[in-house]
Amino acid sequence: MGAKIPLTKGVQNFLQRIASSYVSYWIILIIDVLLCSICSVLSYVLVRYYLKTDLFELQNDLYLIIAFSFFASAFASLCSQTYKRTIRHLRAKDYLRVAFQGFLKICFGTIFILIFTSVYTVNWQYFLLFVIVDLLFTIVAIFGIRMVMVVVYELLMNYSRNFYENILIYGCGDESASLELRLRNNKNYFVSGFLMYGYGYKSYKISGKSVYNFQAEEEFVNIITKKRIKAIIFVQHNDVQEEKDRLIIYCEKHNIKTLIVPKISDDVTGRINIRKIKIEDLLGRDEISIDTKHLEEDFKNKKILITGAAGSIGSEICRQLAKLNVQHLVLFDIAESPLHNIRLELEKNFPKASISCVIGDIRVKDRLEMVFKKYKPEVIIHAAAYKHVPLMEENPCEAVFVNSIGTKYVADMAVKFGVKKMIMVSTDKAVNPTNVMGASKRLAEIYVQSLGCAIEHKLIEGQTSFVTTRFGNVLGSNGSVIPYFRHQIENGGPVTVTHPDIIRYFMTIPEACRLVLEAASMNESNKIFAFEMGEAVKIVDLAKRMIVLAGLVPDEDIKIEFIGLRPGEKLFEEVLNNEEDIIPTKNKKINIANVRRYQFNEIIDNFEKMEIFSKTIQIEETVKLMKLMVPEYKSQNSEFSKYD
């Protein structure tokens, strides 16, 4: 068996090149020209010797036929471009083009005869018969050689399938059929068919591949055993969501790999990027559908500044904006290496994008002013923030100085330099905050909204409108629990969970960023947008699922330990506080939080005090003032409870 692999692979690779490679164009051209010439010779022999008559009143008329046919065939092939059509993927109109190639050959041949011979030397009655026979032979030969290549290729593919990983594609839609087509030349996977839950597509075939149906686990086991399936591949995130408690469980139980491939439109490189399904795929909700056309209209040809551009949210916003043909992106962050990395990525994937990177700190006014003077941004997306709850509980003045006062500096610069819109990325931890981090983000919300309202009511001169977006935990972000759990699993455990009943809302990074841009494009100013976060997830269930996805058994291979709530941490997060309600928008995933309004002239003095307290590291005064300005801020499991 082992000796067959190199031979099969070698022959298959050769046929792949013949069937689909750009390098093989000239080989196909040569084959076509030779075949067409041979067809002319056969036609001549049939007419000449069967009817016993000459086509021309000339000697050596066979040589004339060979010469005319060779040049006519070459001209016809070059004009019709049939040799550039990938043979294995020919469609009906491509075969019509092949027939047109045969017709062109006859036309060019006749023209050559008229040019290089006298019409009086041609026996037109027999020549017409020769032309008809030659045309039929040519079309059949060109069709035939293509069919032979496809059949031989498919036979060798079937013969060599044992050396590949047999997979089933989940679903029967256009994207599933498209993926099967893209995987035909893949060197790692062999598509054995399509898989569907239920019996809606029973006995169907797609692209010649059978559709297999299942409803119970036993039926699934029969299919994978009979077809020797090693993996199931999904093409739509929605299907993963629908099957996460059924097919995904079956696959985990029977050691069948679950794979996913991104949409062609989402894959910048254009390559098939097949990867294993991760916990992020299972926790995310149904894919949101956002019309990027109106986003492009809003952001096209604009100069946009992104603070915190090297972070998980900021970098994804940069990627999505780079697709929207913005005039210029200014990436602002204090983290040198991550900023360098995102610039390299954007330059590779979006070579036409205009990008500038600025190392800077939002706490430094002079650095911010330089950026605004030099680049003159029209839109600001403010994602820079400290977000680790326990760490900020230990460093409250830094949390306030960055999240609250830093935001104030950015907003003030936006007004000073006439920025049209500023979008601030907030968090659900700002709702009924129980920790310093959440309270500091609530202060930032209060400042930008009150400043925007003051501008709107002509109390302050300016033209900037402010939008705040509020959402929960982001899957896979730098502050997410998932990378932490993954690291613990890779190191053999234990996986540490703070409390058996703790729950969180989760959202994927791309979804969160799309919603941020969608909210930014709405004709609403000085509002706080709260994203619909779906169902809450118990963190202990998340830990167990991640262990299973790693091919291990919870509490056997990997232990789960409960370590108690951390300072400032609460069992559940909220999107609205007790005194807030929501106003729906045209996007069902986005609502407007009807929050308590603050007058700018009433808060500015306290913000100036807060700036002094946080700069001079006066922790007690800082926390007390936070609780005064945000009355719903009640510390939990924290030393600051004494100030409540």
Side-chain angles (χ1 to χ4, degrees):
M1 180 69 73
K4 291 182 180 180
I5 295 178
L7 176 62
T8 304
K9 289 279 188 179
V11 174
Q12 180 186 314
N13 289 338
F14 171 74
L15 284 175
Q16 282 180 345
R17 294 181 66 189
I18 293 296
S20 61
S21 173
Y22 175 83
V23 178
S24 67
Y25 288 169
W26 299 111
I27 298 176
I28 300 298
L29 175 62
I30 293 171
I31 292 174
D32 280 354
V33 171
L34 291 177
L35 272 179
C36 290
S37 300
I38 292 172
C39 288
S40 296
V41 172
L42 291 177
S43 301
Y44 169 82
V45 170
L46 182 64
V47 174
R48 171 71 175 81
Y49 292 102
Y50 183 75
L51 298 179
K52 297 181 179 179
T53 184
D54 294 326
L55 297 182
F56 304 96
E57 294 177 1
L58 298 169
Q59 295 181 349
N60 301 322
D61 51 358
L62 175 60
Y63 299 114
L64 284 176
I65 291 296
I66 294 174
F68 292 156
S69 177
F70 181 84
F71 288 108
S73 300
F75 274 99
S77 294
L78 291 171
C79 290
S80 62
Q81 300 279 295
T82 55
Y83 63 95
K84 287 190 175 182
R85 296 299 189 270
T86 303
I87 291 176
R88 298 193 63 250
H89 303 154
L90 288 180
R91 295 175 292 176
K93 67 178 183 179
D94 294 314
Y95 284 106
L96 290 176
R97 189 180 289 270
V98 169
F100 180 64
Q101 176 185 348
F103 178 75
L104 280 181
K105 169 200 163 183
I106 298 302
C107 292
F108 284 132
T110 303
I111 292 172
F112 291 155
I113 288 171
L114 293 176
I115 292 175
F116 293 102
T117 66
S118 171
V119 293
Y120 300 107
T121 63
V122 180
N123 294 323
W124 288 104
Q125 179 181 357
Y126 296 106
F127 183 78
L128 180 60
L129 179 61
F130 161 75
V131 164
I132 295 172
V133 174
D134 189 15
L135 177 61
L136 293 176
F137 277 8
T138 298
I139 293 175
V140 170
I142 299 175
F143 278 6
I145 192 62
R146 281 156 173 75
M147 294 300 297
V148 167
M149 285 184 180
V150 171
V151 170
V152 172
Y153 180 82
E154 292 294 343
L155 288 174
L156 283 175
M157 281 292 291
N158 290 332
Y159 175 73
S160 62
R161 62 186 295 181
N162 292 329
F163 310 128
Y164 292 80
E165 200 164 78
N166 292 342
I167 66 168
L168 291 175
I169 297 174
Y170 187 86
C172 297
D174 292 340
E175 290 186 349
S176 299
S178 175
L179 178 61
E180 189 276 331
L181 190 65
R182 297 172 72 199
L183 287 175
R184 286 184 182 178
N185 296 329
N186 192 278
K187 298 179 181 180
N188 299 313
Y189 302 108
F190 180 87
V191 179
S192 297
F194 298 85
L195 185 67
M196 278 294 294
Y197 175 74
Y199 300 113
Y201 287 84
K202 192 172 183 179
S203 302
Y204 271 57
K205 283 184 178 289
I206 299 175
S207 300
K209 305 284 186 179
S210 297
V211 177
Y212 300 97
N213 306 91
F214 78 98
Q215 277 191 329
E217 183 177 353
E218 294 77 13
E219 294 172 301
F220 170 76
V221 173
N222 289 336
I223 293 169
I224 62 173
T225 303
K226 181 180 178 181
K227 305 304 294 183
R228 293 177 293 178
I229 301 301
K230 300 297 182 183
I232 307 295
I233 184 167
F234 290 83
V235 293
Q236 293 192 21
H237 187 265
N238 293 351
D239 290 335
V240 176
Q241 291 297 300
E242 290 179 5
E243 294 296 331
K244 66 181 179 181
D245 295 322
R246 184 174 48 221
L247 180 57
I248 302 293
I249 297 294
Y250 297 164
C251 290
E252 291 170 355
K253 187 175 178 180
H254 297 282
N255 295 320
I256 301 298
K257 289 191 290 188
T258 50
L259 309 172
I260 192 168
V261 62
K263 292 181 180 179
I264 298 175
S265 59
D266 291 341
D267 189 0
V268 176
T269 64
R271 297 188 297 268
I272 305 178
N273 182 27
I274 297 174
R275 61 168 175 81
K276 288 184 179 180
I277 285 178
K278 301 182 292 187
I279 191 67
E280 290 90 336
D281 302 306
L282 302 180
L283 292 181
R285 286 84 48 72
D286 291 346
E287 279 189 343
I288 60 171
S289 178
I290 288 181
D291 182 11
T292 56
K293 288 184 179 179
H294 80 271
L295 289 182
E296 186 169 354
E297 291 174 0
D298 285 335
F299 292 105
K300 186 178 181 181
N301 297 325
K302 284 188 171 61
K303 291 175 282 188
I304 302 176
L305 168 66
I306 303 100
T307 69
S312 48
I313 294 294
S315 60
E316 178 60 26
I317 288 176
C318 291
R319 294 183 191 98
Q320 295 194 19
L321 286 173
K323 300 177 184 178
L324 301 179
N325 298 317
V326 301
Q327 181 180 341
H328 192 70
L329 284 177
V330 182
L331 281 55
F332 187 91
D333 206 295
I334 196 172
E336 175 197 11
S337 294
L339 187 61
H340 174 67
N341 292 336
I342 185 61
R343 174 161 71 176
L344 292 178
E345 178 188 333
L346 294 175
E347 287 176 347
K348 176 183 177 183
N349 294 331
F350 306 98
K352 295 182 179 179
S354 177
I355 299 169
S356 296
C357 289
V358 180
I359 296 290
D361 190 333
I362 59 172
R363 292 168 293 190
V364 181
K365 286 184 179 180
D366 291 340
R367 188 62 171 160
L368 280 174
E369 187 163 8
M370 181 281 296
V371 172
F372 279 83
K373 280 182 178 179
K374 181 175 180 179
Y375 296 105
K376 298 178 176 58
E378 300 166 77
V379 177
I380 300 171
I381 299 179
H382 178 50
Y386 282 148
K387 56 188 176 183
H388 292 276
V389 170
L391 198 57
M392 294 304 100
E393 207 69 14
E394 297 171 12
N395 301 273
C397 291
E398 285 302 301
V400 171
F401 197 15
V402 170
N403 293 351
S404 307
I405 305 306
T407 299
K408 175 183 180 298
Y409 290 168
V410 175
D412 290 345
M413 290 294 175
V415 175
K416 180 178 179 179
F417 287 92
V419 174
K420 294 180 180 178
K421 181 174 283 190
M422 174 176 163
I423 303 99
M424 190 190 85
V425 176
S426 188
T427 171
D428 58 0
K429 292 178 176 61
V431 182
N432 294 327
T434 60
N435 50 67
V436 169
M437 195 284 281
S440 68
K441 292 295 285 185
R442 177 62 188 137
L443 284 173
E445 292 181 354
I446 290 170
Y447 187 83
V448 298
Q449 187 177 30
S450 59
L451 176 59
C453 289
I455 293 173
E456 186 178 1
H457 293 100
K458 310 298 183 184
L459 301 176
I460 293 177
E461 185 177 349
Q463 63 176 26
T464 308
S465 63
F466 293 89
V467 170
T468 298
T469 59
R470 185 192 281 176
F471 51 90
N473 296 274
V474 179
L475 294 168
S477 68
N478 295 331
S480 171
V481 70
I482 290 175
Y484 182 61
F485 281 175
R486 187 173 290 130
H487 175 74
Q488 289 181 322
I489 293 170
E490 290 172 353
N491 286 277
V495 173
T496 55
V497 180
T498 57
H499 193 282
D501 296 324
I502 192 168
I503 61 173
R504 289 292 182 266
Y505 295 96
F506 288 97
M507 174 180 286
T508 65
I509 293 176
E511 180 181 23
C513 295
R514 289 189 195 111
L515 289 173
V516 168
L517 296 180
E518 174 80 356
S521 68
M522 292 182 177
N523 293 322
E524 299 281 355
S525 299
N526 312 314
K527 299 289 194 300
I528 295 178
F529 291 98
F531 296 167
E532 188 277 311
M533 295 298 298
E535 297 180 2
V537 177
K538 289 189 72 172
I539 299 301
V540 66
D541 292 340
L542 166 65
K544 290 177 181 178
R545 197 62 182 270
M546 289 186 67
I547 293 171
V548 172
L549 281 176
L552 302 169
V553 179
D555 292 321
E556 291 185 16
D557 300 319
I558 300 288
K559 297 293 183 182
I560 296 177
E561 294 183 359
F562 297 102
I563 59 175
L565 291 174
R566 297 172 297 177
E569 189 173 41
K570 54 184 176 180
L571 287 177
F572 59 93
E573 305 289 359
E574 305 155 277
V575 179
L576 299 171
N577 70 31
N578 299 331
E579 298 180 359
E580 296 175 351
D581 57 12
I582 60 172
I583 302 170
T585 69
K586 61 182 181 182
N587 189 321
K588 64 180 182 179
K589 300 282 187 178
I590 303 175
N591 297 303
I592 297 174
N594 191 15
V595 301
R596 171 188 172 186
R597 295 292 182 100
Y598 289 77
Q599 297 299 319
F600 186 75
N601 59 352
E602 295 176 356
I603 67 166
I604 188 62
D605 290 340
N606 281 334
F607 266 92
E608 290 175 354
K609 292 178 184 177
M610 187 74 74
E611 181 176 355
I612 295 172
F613 291 158
S614 60
K615 272 185 178 181
T616 55
I617 323 299
Q618 299 183 55
I619 296 177
E620 180 178 342
E621 289 76 7
T622 298
V623 175
K624 284 182 176 179
L625 186 55
M626 289 175 73
K627 290 180 178 292
L628 175 66
M629 297 177 69
V630 185
E632 66 269 25
Y633 169 31
K634 304 296 181 184
S635 296
Q636 187 168 308
N637 193 31
S638 169
E639 62 177 300
F640 302 129
S641 299
K642 59 188 177 184
Y643 301 129
D644 288 337

